[in-house]
Amino acid sequence: DAGVIQSPRHEVTEMGQEVTLRCKPISGHDYLFWYRQTMMRGLELLIYFNNNVPIDDSGMPEDRFSAKMPNASFSTLKIQPSEPRDSAVYFCASSTPGTDTQYFGPGTRLTVL
Amino acid sequence: LAKTTQPISMDSYEGQEVNITCSHNNIATNDYITWYQQFPSQGPRFIIQGYKTKVTNEVASLFIPADRKSSTLSLPRVSLSDTAVYYCLVGDRNTGFQKLVFGTGTRLLVSP
């Protein structure tokens, strides 16, 4: 199994631009998570889906952030417009049915100038 | 929300056993205890999970006392490659993943 796949691995953009992060979960997993990690705030859960349906988005910082999961094998996290304070590493993870164990992708390092 | 408390950092030497304790005084009846490891520039990786008593796998052991208000991750004979941040999480997927908070973790430094 290839594990959770994220793209791009690195993204540098300018303030005000739209950023789209992509994630392919492990096949057969029923939960998908988006996290953000910074030195100041640690690892924060932004939103998670169960069977492609958003369950809890209370961690999404503001309306500039949105996430979709159009099918079981693909999810996006979009930031529009981006701001320098959005600079962080964004992780996607997926979970095996019936367990709490989360499998993380390699992350996308986002830098907003 | 079952809040967890871990030491911020620990130091050890190669070949030693390392024990990292996590406090979770308000753990709920259905909550599991899960530990993750994170290397720099990588996502967290599942190490071990338990509910009570002792769990052991090829990587670590997890000790949970009868009251379940704390747990101890034990890493036998650490090597330099065990230098990482270790997170303790407490929760149950049926009550929502927002409860499974990673916290600040314990930064373990293994020296030669």
Side-chain angles (χ1 to χ4, degrees):
Chain A
D1 197 328
V4 176
I5 299 172
Q6 291 188 246
S7 65
R9 293 294 311 276
H10 301 274
E11 176 81 27
V12 180
T13 189
E14 293 187 346
M15 182 174 63
Q17 297 297 306
E18 177 180 293
V19 174
T20 299
L21 311 181
R22 297 172 176 79
C23 175
K24 176 179 168 57
I26 295 173
S27 177
H29 283 193
D30 61 346
Y31 277 83
L32 182 139
F33 310 84
W34 282 102
Y35 286 87
R36 176 174 69 175
Q37 186 170 38
T38 62
M39 288 294 293
M40 291 297 295
R41 301 176 68 89
L43 201 58
E44 304 172 276
L45 177 60
L46 301 177
I47 183 172
Y48 69 94
F49 297 80
N50 178 219
N51 292 321
N52 314 338
V53 176
I55 301 301
D56 192 329
D57 65 355
S58 60
M60 296 286 259
E62 43 194 285
D63 291 344
R64 297 185 295 105
F65 287 70
S66 63
K68 294 182 180 180
M69 191 166 186
N71 57 63
S73 60
F74 183 67
S75 176
T76 60
L77 177 68
K78 184 178 295 186
I79 307 172
Q80 166 62 18
S82 59
E83 296 182 3
R85 59 194 169 116
D86 300 330
S87 297
V89 180
Y90 290 82
F91 289 104
C92 175
S94 64
S95 180
T96 310
T99 76
D100 294 332
T101 305
Q102 298 177 53
Y103 296 83
F104 283 76
T108 295
R109 182 173 295 278
L110 172 66
T111 302
V112 183
L113 303 175
Chain B
L1 196 67
K3 186 179 184 303
T4 60
T5 302
Q6 304 175 233
I8 293 175
S9 64
M10 295 182 68
D11 295 321
S12 183
Y13 293 97
E14 283 189 292
Q16 291 189 332
E17 178 184 75
V18 171
N19 296 309
I20 306 175
T21 297
C22 179
S23 297
H24 28 81
N25 290 320
N26 57 343
I27 186 170
T29 302
N30 294 329
D31 286 346
Y32 281 78
I33 301 157
T34 310
W35 285 80
Y36 286 81
Q37 173 192 56
Q38 185 177 24
F39 297 115
S41 301
Q42 294 186 26
R45 182 176 72 110
F46 171 83
I47 299 176
I48 197 166
Q49 184 181 68
Y51 183 79
K52 62 179 179 180
T53 63
K54 178 183 174 182
V55 179
T56 298
N57 61 23
E58 64 280 4
V59 176
S61 294
L62 179 60
F63 298 92
I64 306 168
D67 66 6
R68 305 202 325 125
K69 293 184 182 300
S70 67
S71 59
T72 299
L73 174 72
S74 180
L75 306 172
R77 298 178 300 282
V78 295
S79 63
L80 297 177
S81 62
D82 291 316
T83 293
V85 178
Y86 292 83
Y87 298 94
C88 163
L89 282 70
V90 172
D92 169 26
R93 69 151 40 191
N94 294 318
T95 55
F97 278 95
Q98 286 292 3
K99 285 186 61 179
L100 289 167
V101 178
F102 273 80
T104 55
T106 297
R107 192 172 297 274
L108 174 65
L109 174 63
V110 180
S111 301

